Structures are given as structure tokens and as C-alpha cells.
Amino acid sequence: MGRGERYSRVFSASRCSCATAQVLVVGCGNSELSEQMYDVGMCEDIVNIDISDAVIRQMRERSASTRPRMSYLLMDMLHMDFPDTHFQVVLDKGTLDALLTNEEEATLAKVDQMFAEISRVLQVGGRYLCVSLAQAHVLKKAVEYFSQEGWVVRVHQVASSGDKEQFVLPVFVYVMTKFRKIPGSAAQILEICPEEQDKPMRVESTERLVAAVKDRQHYALLCSQISKAPCREQVSLDLCDRESGKPRYTLHVVDSTSVKPSRDNHFAIFIIPQGRETEWLFGTEEGRRQLAASAGFGRLLTVALHREQRYEGMAGIQAELSAKVMELAPPGLPARQQVPFLSVGGDIGVRAVRHCDRSPLSGEFVVEDVKGDGTCYFRRLIFLQNRNVVQSEARLLAPTPLPGQKKRRKDKKKLSPTEQPGAIDKSYLCCEHHKAMVAGLCLLGGPDALPGELAVLVVGLGGGSLPLFVHDYFSQARVAVVEIDPSMLEVATRWFGFSQGERMQVHVCDGLDYVAKLAAEAPAQYDAIMFDVDSKDLTVGMSCPPPAFVEKPFLQKVKTILKPEGIFVLNLVCRDARLKESVLATLRDVFPLLYARRIRGEVNEILFCQPGPAGRCGPAELGARARALEGALRQPGRPWDSSYALADVLQSVLIL
């Protein structure tokens, strides 16, 4: 596609009909644009001006015999000789970019004069078309000037030629439509029209328009870079919905150097099923790297779907993404190569949002049901400020058919937002760190005994799965739960099957204050204390618990309310290596005996802390205690997940 055709598409999209219009080209130079527009029949009545006498002579000679209606005049665009409202279109290809090289006062004064002259010679309803690379200061100056004059401003991205060897920065056309300025009116109409869209998007400010253009420039540079060489690091980007501007797809480009290239394994697209984007395989760099290697493609593009968006199945997604993903193709992809779209089970998964709300403490959150790997469905609590982390999760029981109602075939089972889901399976712990925290309770009893009456304190309710399991399976346990956010108690009760009773009480208060008060009034009263509380401060490299919960004075209070033979279990999620080592050092200062259990594929590390060294267990004894505890918990008539082996959970525990 030639330049004339590409600009022609922009002029057509901007409803700028040049065929019968008189067009002025300012600062024409020796550009071929006027000639191309004339030759393809876009317009013939074209007046070109430039300040260079040599350029005007050269261009007159080039077009004199073949383009009789096109003229070239020696004229300064800052002081034009044309009468007012003489032209219907003013065209500028790179002239503004060449003039506005800095933001010095003298330069800005020249630009203002240029704009004023263009405004003077242009008819009301006419258009000023400015072809530009859209540097931020150039775009901002043009948009602010003309929008303040009451003009409608639209920025079009010109379609690329498809030649990856050409200049990589995208070209834009500012389309400024002149309207009569209405005194006292402050309304601005600002729009952007990316190259693949015919329908423009309205933006509310100059800053947002400049930012949208900058996003397109960054995207073009990224596409150019990854089309020429493999990615050393995974590249992530969002594709946004054209109507709302909100993210619709999150893409990760993963190159696998271990895959031997062949004609058919250069490139593939993997659609992550809805609701499974937080799983290790799809939600971490290491997991995606493993996925790419196992898929056997040199470049794998993973695509995550957003809960706020609606999708029309795999075929609809493929139709929507086919052109866009080819912009991210690897170097060496054969021409017309068929690029496969992959997924788990060949579909896009199932996600049904059950509840959306906002908490003053936790921010916006959602409760959603998703289909897992297989036929099981799970309910999840997600805080939207950290949407890639599942805060709480529970497995759903299959709905029981009513008498006379036929049971649906498994392969037809799909949950819809309006369908009544099954009840919560309280016997199943979805989170691996919860399984480890429960398994650590074997340190309370001997190798042959289930702990008897237990007093357990859980700080952090979430969906309530952890305290519910302890309550139901340790039949003599009395569980106190501390939760700072009253909204979470409502969520746990309404959506996760949580309930209070004689042996289960929730205290809505700050865990720091609750522990401090107990330490002062009633020491040594808990057999087990469990911390599973998230931090709301995402700037700290530790997302669980909040830093104040692992400071030495507070940990000493925790030790005070713990019985001498008790256990303190902490879910630690820390990505900062120095901070983590500092936390471990503080824990060792307070608790003489410390065990650690890493959760495979997650950042979580479960720490088991005891106030005295006397109960130290080696790996063999720890395994024996875990098996004894599991045997005691497996009671006739009580459901137990066969995959939950306590000894296996504690197999890789380290003594720190």
C-alpha cells in the first residue's frame, strides 16, 4: 500500500472529501504527497507553498506538464497572501514537526502564528490535516490550541505498510475541524482513532489523548523489536476494549529457546480458561515458560481474559485476535503460516460473578465461581487491587437434582450467572498453604494421639475455610477468629458457608489490638495461633502478613498468649529477600524452635514456631505424627479428600 492510499483512508475516515475542495499544502518541500493525491484522483485543485525558492522551482518543473491544476507558490506560511476563509482543507506533512523542535518562547510564538494563519484561511467546517510523528510536546501544543478555539480534534493513526524494515514509529494525522467559537463555551471534543478501528474513541482531556498516542508508539516499538529477535524476558501488554477503554485481554509473549524450530512450530496462541489465570502455570513467569516448552512452540502468546468483559467462545476470540496477534509474530515465521489457537480442553472456561462490592478496608472485591481443571467448580474471593491473587477459595459440591429431575450429562455441565450453584464443600481445603497450616497441628500431640481440647486463634478470616476446617475436624477445638474488615465476615457467611456457634466466635477488630489486650489480661491460653492475614500496602515486598505483625515486640506478645507446648503458625508471603531474612531472624529471636515449609509453585512459606526447643522433631518423627493425625481425622461418615496426605504435606519441612 502506497503512502497516498494510506493517507487516503485516513482522509476518508475523517469525512474529509478533497475531490472537489481547494486544498492548501503548507511547507510542501519536495514531498511526493501532493503528486500522489493528484494522481490517484483524491483532489486536483491543490495549492502548495514553501519558503524555499529552489524547492518551488523544482516542484513546478516536476508537475508542469502532467498536473495542470496543481500550483506551487513561494510564500511564508506565517504570513500568507490568501484571503480569509479561502480553503476548505489545509494539509501539513511534517511541517509542524520541523518547526516545533523545542519549547522555547520564540519557537512557540512562530507556531501560534502558523496556527493563526491556518485558522484565518480555512473556511468554517473546513479541516486542518497535520501528518506528524506525534511527539508529546507537538501533539499537546496542537490539541490545546485548536480545542481552546472550539475546534473538534481527532487523531488518526495511519495504517502501517507491513514492511518490518521500514521506519518503526507510527505516523499520525491530526484532523482539526473548524467551528465557530461560542463565547463562554468550555466544551472540548477530543477523539482518537487507532489504525484498526473505524469508530473513534472519545477522550476527556488533552493528557489522556497524549497518553493514548504514547501507548500506540510504545506498542509499535515493541512489535518491531520482537519481530526481529527473540525476547530475552517475557513481554506483557494489555489490549483494551474499544468502547470502555478497559483491559480486555492480557498478553504475555514467551519465547522458548529449548524448542528446535521447524516449519510448523514457530508460533501459537494459548487462551487461558477464564478463572484460571491465577494458577501457577498461567500466572507466573516460570509457569508460562514451562507451558511454552511443553507446548513445543518457539514463541507462545498466552492470552488471559478479564472478568469485566464478555466473550463469544473460542471462535469469537480467534476472530477478534487473529489480525492483532500476527503483529507479535516471531522472526522467521513463514509467509501465510497457519497459527494455531490452543486452550485447555478446547474451550475458554467458565466464570460466573456472584457478587461485587466495595469495602473501606479491602477496596473493590468480587466473589466468582469458576470451572477448575476437570469437572469441579470453585468459588473465589478476589480483591481487585491485587486481582492476580486468590484471597480465598472453596470447592463447590455438585447440585443435587430434585426428585424426578434428570441429572445432566457431565459434558453439558456449565455454570451460568443465574444458575443456583451447589453448596460449599467444607471438607476440602483448596489452598496448599492451608493444608500445610493444618498439618502443622501434629506438632501439638504425641505420635499416637490426636490433640484433645484445643484453643485455637486464627487471625484473618477471608472466606473462612481454614477456621471452618479446624472447627469441623478437631471436634473438641474452640476457635476464635479475628478479622478487621466486617465486610469479610458478611462475605464468608453469605458466600462461603461460614457460620458461628458455641465453638466458633468471630471478633471484628484489629488483630494487633486483640493480641496486645490478651497478652496483658490472659496469657498462655492458646494451643495454636494461626496468622493468615494479608497486607493492604502493595508497596511493601511482603504481602502477608502486614509488617507490624512480625515486629519483635508484637511477636513477644504472641508468645505470651501461647501455651508453653503450643504452636504459632504463620503464612509468610515475601518477595523481598532481605526483608524475608530479617523476618526469619526476628522469629528465631522470639521462638527457639522454627520449622519452614515452602509451597511449591507459590511464594508462600509456612512457618511453624514453638516457644521451647524441647519438642524438636526430626523428619521421621514429624512424618509419623502427621500420619497419626490424619488417621485420627479420618472418621467414618466424615468426608475426607483422598489427595490430602498430611505426611506428604510435611515431607519437605526444614528446621531453621
Side-chain angles (χ1 to χ4, degrees):
M1 184 189 299
R3 290 191 188 93
E5 288 182 79
R6 300 212 308 275
Y7 294 130
S8 173
R9 289 176 59 183
V10 173
F11 299 160
S12 298
S14 65
R15 298 181 178 86
C16 181
S17 176
C18 301
T20 58
Q22 188 169 26
V23 178
L24 170 66
V25 180
V26 294
C28 63
N30 59 4
S31 169
E32 298 176 355
L33 179 58
S34 296
E35 298 166 323
Q36 291 170 343
M37 291 170 59
Y38 190 103
D39 293 344
V40 299
M42 280 185 61
C43 50
E44 294 182 345
D45 193 354
I46 304 176
V47 178
N48 301 273
I49 66 170
D50 198 279
I51 201 171
S52 169
D53 182 58
V55 165
I56 293 299
R57 285 201 311 270
Q58 176 193 2
M59 299 306 290
R60 280 174 177 169
E61 291 174 3
R62 258 174 35 183
S63 297
S65 61
T66 56
R67 304 175 184 94
R69 295 188 60 189
M70 188 157 68
S71 59
Y72 288 88
L73 303 177
L74 181 64
M75 191 180 298
D76 184 354
M77 65 180 179
L78 303 184
H79 305 282
M80 292 187 282
D81 299 332
F82 303 113
D84 295 354
T85 65
H86 187 68
F87 295 96
Q88 292 167 291
V89 177
V90 175
L91 179 58
D92 159 10
K93 182 175 181 285
T95 304
L96 178 60
D97 285 1
L99 181 62
L100 191 48
T101 55
N102 58 61
E103 296 183 86
E104 295 178 0
E105 186 175 345
T107 302
L108 295 176
K110 288 183 179 180
V111 172
D112 286 340
Q113 179 64 24
M114 172 187 174
F115 288 164
E117 278 291 272
I118 289 172
S119 177
R120 181 182 66 80
V121 302
L122 194 62
Q123 298 175 6
V124 173
R127 287 175 170 83
Y128 167 38
L129 307 178
C130 177
V131 180
S132 169
L133 291 177
Q135 290 178 275
H137 72 284
V138 176
L139 175 60
K140 184 172 184 289
K141 175 64 177 176
V143 172
E144 287 181 343
Y145 183 96
F146 288 104
S147 63
Q148 288 171 5
E149 291 296 311
W151 294 30
V152 174
V153 177
R154 179 184 296 172
V155 177
H156 286 260
Q157 182 175 349
V158 180
S160 65
S161 66
D163 184 354
K164 295 182 179 180
E165 299 303 318
Q166 283 195 353
F167 189 62
V168 298
L169 282 177
V171 176
F172 295 87
V173 176
Y174 316 154
V175 180
M176 320 287 195
T177 305
K178 181 177 179 179
F179 281 81
R180 296 188 191 277
K181 189 173 182 180
I182 302 174
S185 174
Q188 292 182 327
I189 299 179
L190 309 176
E191 298 174 332
I192 184 168
C193 192
E195 59 173 304
E196 73 277 8
Q197 299 176 11
D198 293 324
K199 185 177 179 181
M201 297 188 304
R202 186 74 57 91
V203 293
E204 64 270 19
S205 66
T206 301
E207 290 72 22
R208 290 298 299 272
L209 184 57
V210 171
V213 168
K214 188 174 291 186
D215 286 343
R216 304 298 303 181
Q217 293 167 329
H218 288 168
Y219 177 73
L221 286 171
L222 170 66
C223 291
S224 175
Q225 290 167 359
I226 67 176
S227 70
K228 296 174 181 176
C231 302
R232 294 182 179 180
E233 298 180 352
Q234 293 184 25
V235 174
S236 173
L237 64 151
D238 287 333
L239 298 183
C240 296
D241 178 72
R242 67 179 62 184
E243 298 292 338
S244 66
K246 294 181 178 179
R248 180 165 172 79
Y249 299 101
T250 295
L251 311 182
H252 284 89
V253 182
V254 188
D255 283 342
S256 182
T257 56
S258 61
V259 175
K260 186 177 180 181
S262 69
R263 177 173 175 80
D264 298 325
N265 73 344
H266 280 269
F267 190 33
I269 318 300
F270 188 95
I271 307 299
I272 300 170
Q274 295 181 93
R276 299 187 61 186
E277 62 277 354
T278 59
E279 295 180 15
W280 177 83
L281 189 63
F282 310 124
T284 66
E285 284 198 16
E286 185 181 351
R288 289 188 292 268
R289 197 175 296 115
Q290 179 176 310
L291 176 66
S294 62
F297 287 88
R299 174 171 292 175
L300 189 70
L301 184 67
T302 66
V303 181
L305 314 180
H306 285 250
R307 65 177 51 82
E308 299 89 352
Q309 304 288 335
R310 298 183 67 86
Y311 304 93
E312 299 299 328
M314 179 67 82
I317 291 174
Q318 185 170 350
E320 190 176 345
L321 290 180
S322 289
K324 179 57 62 179
V325 296
M326 293 309 295
E327 297 174 0
L328 303 170
L333 181 71
R336 299 181 182 178
Q337 175 71 52
Q338 189 78 14
V339 176
F341 277 70
L342 313 174
S343 188
V344 178
D347 64 23
I348 65 170
V350 179
R351 188 202 314 263
V353 175
R354 296 296 176 191
H355 180 64
C356 302
D357 208 340
R358 179 180 180 84
S359 158
L361 292 173
S362 303
E364 293 182 357
F365 62 88
V366 298
V367 176
E368 62 185 21
D369 295 347
V370 300
K371 185 181 180 183
D373 187 6
T375 59
C376 293
Y377 285 81
F378 297 87
R379 177 159 294 167
R380 291 175 175 172
L381 170 64
I382 308 285
F383 293 160
L384 295 186
Q385 67 172 352
N386 197 6
R387 62 182 62 230
N388 291 325
V389 176
V390 176
Q391 294 295 328
S392 294
E393 185 174 26
R395 186 168 68 181
L396 295 172
L397 295 168
T400 304
L402 298 173
Q405 183 181 12
K406 290 184 178 180
K407 190 175 182 180
R408 293 180 303 175
R409 290 169 53 192
K410 287 184 179 179
D411 60 343
K412 295 292 185 182
K413 178 182 178 183
K414 278 198 174 182
L415 205 61
S416 72
T418 58
E419 182 181 356
Q420 185 65 31
I424 298 294
D425 183 355
K426 300 179 184 179
S427 70
Y428 184 79
L429 289 172
C430 295
C431 303
E432 291 299 317
H433 68 277
H434 281 172
K435 295 178 182 179
M437 294 175 82
V438 170
L441 296 180
C442 72
L443 291 166
L444 290 173
D448 302 316
L450 174 69
E453 294 186 5
L454 291 178
V456 180
L457 174 63
V458 178
V459 179
L461 175 63
S465 298
L466 177 61
L468 266 179
F469 189 91
V470 174
H471 172 273
D472 291 351
Y473 281 82
F474 293 81
S475 57
Q476 298 184 66
R478 303 182 69 86
V479 184
V481 184
V482 177
E483 172 56 52
I484 194 172
D485 190 346
S487 299
M488 291 305 103
L489 177 56
E490 181 183 347
V491 167
T493 303
R494 181 181 176 189
W495 297 104
F496 288 88
F498 182 81
S499 61
Q500 300 185 66
E502 184 181 349
R503 294 191 297 110
M504 175 83 80
Q505 293 293 319
V506 176
H507 305 273
V508 179
C509 61
D510 191 329
L512 297 170
D513 297 337
Y514 187 84
V515 170
K517 183 179 180 181
L518 285 181
E521 298 176 356
Q525 63 171 295
Y526 285 108
D527 297 282
I529 300 173
M530 296 178 163
F531 280 8
D532 187 27
V533 54
D534 70 301
S535 173
K536 307 302 182 189
D537 186 357
L538 300 182
T539 64
V540 180
M542 182 168 61
S543 55
C544 185
F549 281 75
V550 286
E551 292 178 356
K552 189 171 182 178
F554 180 70
L555 290 174
Q556 287 171 333
K557 294 173 184 175
V558 173
K559 184 178 179 181
T560 298
I561 65 173
L562 193 64
K563 293 180 180 179
E565 67 281 3
I567 182 171
F568 168 46
V569 185
L570 172 66
N571 177 24
L572 178 66
V573 183
C574 187
R575 290 173 171 81
D576 185 324
R578 289 187 178 181
L579 179 57
K580 178 181 174 181
E581 189 52 47
S582 173
V583 170
L584 292 176
T586 304
L587 285 166
R588 281 191 290 263
D589 284 346
V590 178
F591 295 95
L593 186 55
L594 185 63
Y595 303 87
R597 167 67 162 88
R598 289 293 306 273
I599 305 299
R600 182 182 176 277
E602 299 180 20
V603 186
N604 302 64
E605 188 164 358
I606 306 304
L607 303 173
F608 308 103
C609 315
Q610 292 191 284
R616 182 186 182 102
C617 294
E621 184 180 354
L622 199 59
R625 288 192 176 201
R627 283 188 290 272
L629 177 59
E630 181 180 335
L633 295 178
R634 286 184 178 231
Q635 297 295 326
R638 178 186 291 172
W640 182 269
D641 186 77
S642 58
S643 66
Y644 187 13
L646 298 186
D648 292 343
V649 171
L650 295 183
Q651 194 172 30
S652 56
V653 165
L654 300 175
I655 301 176
L656 301 181

